[in-house]
């Protein structure tokens, strides 16, 4: 998730929006429309394919949760990061406009956002539209934007900086995991805030710099463009794949390595097929302009 928000900041162009109203209108189309459309479609398909149209109270709660998006409660369904991004990007635009390109102000704002976010995550366990995670998301949005500015001034990046970044990522990930176990923003679990921050920054920066060294890669580019659909439909395709594998191979135990590999492969094939269908016939679901014949 830190990488997701850093990439969103990396690709953000404040000059594209003449005012805050134009920004909100654009983000409503590219974030809120996909959020509600994908959640409703996946919710309906889960009800149909996984639960045989047997409507229960949890389905109603999930449907309400699509509107409320209150994590760590029964009123939640999927794609929490889209509402966080929708709430965070207007704040990003305001800060960048106020900073006027001064990297010191941008970095100070990022540090302040993270400190605030770590405090909120520790004391608040889920809010409507996952607003409790906006400060941490804003931190990585700002750092992603700052990284792009730095890369524009330093187009060459050798192997040593990449090795250093990935080394820091692995080191502080291990230190954090050894101390507190798994870190997960969804569950408001940072672990050690300093260790989490260093590991997340190093991993996000290392990933972006590595992609620049690799250059354009058609398969990776396709995955990146369709990652939103993958995130949305994994809630359906993974359990559906498990059921299909058990149906075809009843003697195979699901926790086994071959079974897990088969589930992963089938789920990926399903998500790819769904993404191709959506991009071909209804790209507006992903916030993209419709194709004209």
């Amino acid at each position: 998730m830190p990488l997701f928000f850093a990439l969103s900041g990396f690709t953000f162009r404040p000059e594209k929006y003449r005012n805050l109203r134009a920004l909100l209108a654009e983000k409503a189309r590219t974030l809120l429309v996909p959020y509600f459309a994908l959640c409703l479609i996946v919710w309906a398909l889960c009800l149909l394919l996984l639960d045989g149209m047997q409507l229960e109270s949890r389905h109603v709660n999930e449907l309400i949760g699509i509107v409320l998006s209150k994590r760590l409660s029964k009123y939640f369904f999927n794609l929490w990061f889209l509402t966080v991004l929708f709430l965070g990007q207007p704040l990003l635009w305001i800060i960048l406009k106020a900073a006027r390109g001064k990297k010191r102000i941008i970095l100070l704002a990022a540090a302040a956002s993270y400190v605030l976010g770590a405090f909120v995550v520790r004391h608040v366990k889920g809010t409507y539209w996952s607003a409790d995670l906006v400060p941490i998301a804003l931190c990585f949005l700002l750092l992603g934007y700052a990284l792009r500015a730095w890369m524009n001034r330093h187009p060459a990046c050798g192997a040593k900086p990449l090795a250093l970044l990935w080394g820091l990522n692995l080191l502080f990930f291990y230190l954090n995991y050894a101390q507190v176990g798994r870190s997960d923003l969804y569950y408001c679990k940072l672990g050690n805030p300093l260790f989490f921050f260093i590991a997340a920054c190093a991993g996000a920066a290392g990933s972006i710099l590595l992609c620049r060294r690799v250059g354009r890669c058609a398969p990776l580019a396709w995955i990146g463009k369709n990652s939103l659909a993958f995130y949305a439909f994994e809630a359906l395709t993974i359990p559906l794949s498990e059921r299909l594998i058990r149906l075809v191979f009843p003697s195979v135990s699901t926790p086994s390595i071959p079974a897990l590999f088969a589930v992963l492969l089938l789920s990926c094939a399903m998500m790819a097929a769904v993404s191709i269908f959506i991009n071909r016939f209804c790209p507006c679901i992903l916030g993209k302009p419709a194709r004209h014949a």
Side-chain angles (χ1 to χ4, degrees), residues 89-104:
Q89 286 197 335
L91 298 175
L92 173 65
W93 184 85
I94 292 172
I95 292 173
L96 293 178
K97 285 292 184 181
R100 297 181 179 180
K102 297 178 181 178
K103 63 178 182 180
R104 182 176 299 179

Side-chain angles (χ1 to χ4, degrees), residues 214-273:
V214 170
R216 181 166 181 81
C217 175
L220 291 178
W222 186 84
I223 292 173
K225 290 179 180 179
N226 293 279
S227 58
L228 182 55
F230 296 165
Y231 273 120
F233 282 92
E234 68 175 352
L236 169 66
T237 59
I238 292 178
L240 185 59
S241 297
E242 290 179 352
R243 293 190 181 188
L244 290 174
I245 294 298
R246 289 175 180 173
L247 181 64
V248 177
F249 305 103
S251 61
V252 176
S253 175
T254 302
S256 66
I257 298 300
L260 291 175
F261 180 77
V263 167
L264 177 61
L265 191 62
L266 183 57
S267 179
C268 288
M270 289 181 181
M271 288 189 289

Side-chain angles (χ1 to χ4, degrees), residues 128-203:
Y128 298 114
W129 274 33
S130 294
D132 55 314
L133 296 181
V134 169
I136 286 183
L138 179 60
C139 167
F140 290 104
L141 285 166
L142 288 163
L143 292 177
Y145 181 87
L147 178 61
R148 179 172 65 87
W150 181 87
M151 288 174 61
N152 289 338
R153 296 192 301 270
H154 303 85
C157 178
K160 290 182 179 180
L162 279 175
L164 175 62
L165 288 170
W166 283 110
L168 288 171
N169 172 261
L170 293 173
L171 173 62
F172 283 95
F173 164 78
Y174 171 77
L175 292 175
N176 201 23
Y177 185 82
Q179 181 174 325
V180 297
R182 178 182 175 182
S183 296
D184 193 326
L185 286 179
Y186 175 88
Y187 292 105
C188 297
K189 292 182 178 179
L190 292 183
N192 184 299
L194 179 60
F195 292 171
F196 179 91
F197 180 75
I198 296 174
C201 289

